[in-house]
Amino acid sequence: IVVTGSDDRLWKMWALPDGNTIMTGEGHTDWLSGCCFHPSGTQLVTSSRDTTLRIWDFSKRGCILTLEGHAHAVWDCSWHSCGDFVASASMDNTSKIWDVNSERCRYTMCGHKDSVNSIEFLPFSNTVLTSSADKTLSLWDART
């Protein structure tokens, strides 16, 4: 399976090796910047310049949740290995941890002096790694 986004605010998922389109997602109002599969493989999270993240459910064949709260483009997104949390990195110099079940932001991590460009959970832990245009990496405890 391959997922690609483009400047036309659309993403497509293809099966390999035949190249057949499995699913197409529309809903972001600006270009896509990142995507990440849910640990179970049943959902996808996408990030966009439109300042939102969207969660897509493959069985429902569409967007089931839009997460809003960043002030500028969201550059990257990542699922926690338990599948209940999503992390986002933004041009607004912050990163956020979202609780998918309650549909709200649980934590906002401030400290970078420039755009946060990528974010990743350490597998099976509460540690988050961010990289920034301020030329630093930061490790965060997502619980505090």
Side-chain angles (χ1 to χ4, degrees), residues 75-142:
W75 288 126
D76 195 25
C77 52
S78 177
W79 282 99
H80 186 274
S81 51
C82 74
D84 292 332
F85 301 97
V86 168
S88 59
S90 175
M91 194 174 171
D92 65 10
N93 303 358
T94 69
S95 50
K96 294 182 181 286
I97 305 296
W98 304 87
D99 183 329
V100 176
N101 297 316
S102 68
E103 302 180 4
R104 66 179 183 90
C105 178
R106 186 65 76 84
Y107 306 106
T108 299
M109 297 172 287
C110 302
H112 284 293
K113 298 189 180 356
D114 206 339
S115 175
V116 184
N117 299 330
S118 69
I119 192 161
E120 189 69 38
F121 280 102
L122 180 66
F124 307 104
S125 83
N126 293 306
T127 302
V128 179
L129 174 67
T130 55
S131 66
S132 172
D134 66 13
K135 302 177 186 156
T136 66
L137 297 171
S138 293
L139 284 172
W140 309 83
D141 183 337

Side-chain angles (χ1 to χ4, degrees), residues 11-88:
W11 62 267
K12 290 186 178 190
M13 186 182 316
W14 289 280
L16 294 176
D18 60 16
N20 292 330
T21 301
I22 298 171
M23 186 175 165
T24 301
E26 293 183 70
H28 283 291
T29 59
D30 213 328
W31 47 258
L32 302 175
S33 53
C35 63
C36 184
F37 282 109
H38 186 278
S40 70
T42 60
Q43 295 178 338
L44 179 77
V45 62
T46 54
S47 55
S48 171
R49 183 179 173 199
D50 69 9
T51 73
T52 69
L53 296 115
R54 286 185 177 256
I55 297 178
W56 308 85
D57 187 280
F58 301 141
S59 65
K60 294 182 175 142
R61 303 195 61 76
C63 178
I64 59 167
L65 180 60
T66 301
L67 300 169
E68 300 176 281
H70 281 290
H72 295 289
V74 182
W75 288 126
D76 195 25
C77 52
S78 177
W79 282 99
H80 186 274
S81 51
C82 74
D84 292 332
F85 301 97
V86 168
S88 59

